[in-house]
Amino acid sequence: MGTYCNIPLRERNIVLIGFMGVGKTTIGQLVAKKLYRDFIDVDQEIEKRHQMSIPAIFEQMGEDYFRKVERELIVDLCTNTRLKILSLGGGAYLQEEVRNACLSHCIVFFLDLSWECWKERLPLIVDNRPVLKNKTLEEIEQLFFQRRNAYSIHNSRVLTNNLDPETVANEIVESIKWTWEVYEPNE
Ligand SMILES: Nc1ncnc2c1ncn2[C@@H]1O[C@H](COP(=O)(O)OP(=O)(O)OP(=O)(O)O)[C@@H](O)[C@H]1O
Ligand SMILES: O=C(O)C1=C[C@@H](O)[C@@H](O)[C@H](O)C1
Ligand SMILES: [Mg+2]
């Protein structure tokens, strides 16, 4: 765990990363409840601040604008808040500045899912994820594997294949409590 960070482990934000639809929003909410912490979903926060849906922001303001807003919000949350559960949008972690902010201030969990399992999720999410719009399944598969390079830089990975959200959330909570106990045991 980064020794250059002076925030106690127990106070660091917990960040969930991973491809669209792996469950960052669903599972982040559950983790927050279980740890009695505030939950912030970066996509939802951007929608709230703009009073617009993500697809509308992409359409009317463009992806570059969205990425800038996303980056600035995440860097701000990582730098200026503690004790939160943060679920990122699926593409946020592709930005180096986002990775650096998350890795230097927070504990980063990569929610992983096999391509075979992910494909079954596609119908649930395809309508409101602009990045998937007009892409063939082959193109989405390419994106899925390309993005793994960025997601592979994390503190902890949870493989979620065939696990329900509750089970994944419990695994994350156990893992984080283990980390706290090992690195910062209570007196
Ligand atoms: N472990 C799971 N098992 C089955 N379905 C799940 C699981 N986790 C999430 N889902 C379902 O998959 C869909 C996408 O989940 P969710 O919105 O949490 O993904 P996400 O990672 O936040 O996506 P995005 O990157 O686009 O924000 C939802 O319909 C959710 O109910
Ligand atoms: O993976 C992506 O690039 C995205 C994922 C969503 O969470 C949203 O942030 C948006 O639809 C872009
Ligand atoms: Mg989400």
Side-chain angles (χ1 to χ4, degrees):
M1 209 69 64
T3 48
Y4 41 88
C5 174
N6 60 6
I7 306 172
L9 276 177
R10 288 172 187 271
E11 291 183 25
R12 281 187 218 177
N13 293 333
I14 295 166
V15 174
L16 303 189
I17 63 162
F19 200 66
M20 276 163 275
V22 294
K24 300 176 296 293
T25 300
T26 311
I27 292 159
Q29 258 162 342
L30 294 172
V31 171
K33 242 187 221 154
K34 288 171 193 288
L35 291 174
Y36 304 98
R37 287 194 176 187
D38 290 335
F39 171 67
I40 299 175
D41 184 87
V42 170
D43 285 335
Q44 290 172 358
E45 187 63 28
I46 293 171
E47 288 182 327
K48 198 166 77 189
R49 290 184 186 191
H50 285 73
Q51 288 295 299
M52 286 167 86
S53 69
I54 301 278
I57 295 173
F58 266 67
E59 215 176 286
Q60 293 173 36
M61 277 122 136
E63 179 168 354
D64 287 353
Y65 172 83
F66 173 77
R67 295 302 175 195
K68 179 173 177 286
V69 168
E70 180 181 51
R71 179 177 68 246
E72 288 174 356
L73 174 58
I74 296 169
V75 170
D76 178 42
L77 289 169
C78 289
T79 317
N80 298 315
T81 70
R82 295 182 181 197
L83 297 162
K84 309 270 185 238
I85 310 299
L86 306 179
S87 289
L88 303 198
Y93 206 69
L94 277 296
Q95 304 196 63
E96 192 179 4
E97 221 181 305
V98 168
R99 287 200 297 276
N100 290 341
C102 292
L103 290 164
S104 56
H105 296 86
C106 312
I107 301 175
V108 180
F109 279 84
F110 168 34
L111 297 192
D112 201 2
L113 188 63
S114 71
W115 170 246
E116 289 310 312
C117 291
W118 187 86
K119 267 194 300 191
E120 290 170 21
R121 278 295 154 88
L122 182 57
L124 296 177
I125 63 166
V126 70
D127 287 340
N128 59 356
R129 303 307 194 274
V131 172
L132 300 178
K133 217 171 136 185
N134 302 324
K135 280 199 173 58
T136 64
L137 192 62
E138 287 69 31
E139 287 168 334
I140 297 173
E141 182 177 11
Q142 221 173 15
L143 190 68
F144 181 92
F145 286 102
Q146 252 170 26
R147 285 186 169 187
R148 290 183 70 84
N149 292 331
Y151 303 143
S152 70
I153 316 166
H154 54 254
N155 297 119
S156 192
R157 167 179 170 264
V158 184
L159 184 60
T160 67
N161 291 351
N162 306 313
L163 300 179
D164 62 28
E166 192 72 28
T167 308
V168 179
N170 285 337
E171 265 194 40
I172 292 172
V173 168
E174 267 176 45
S175 163
I176 199 75
K177 285 187 172 167
W178 181 88
T179 304
W180 289 341
E181 277 308 312
V182 168
Y183 293 99
E184 280 175 7
N186 277 322
E187 314 264 285

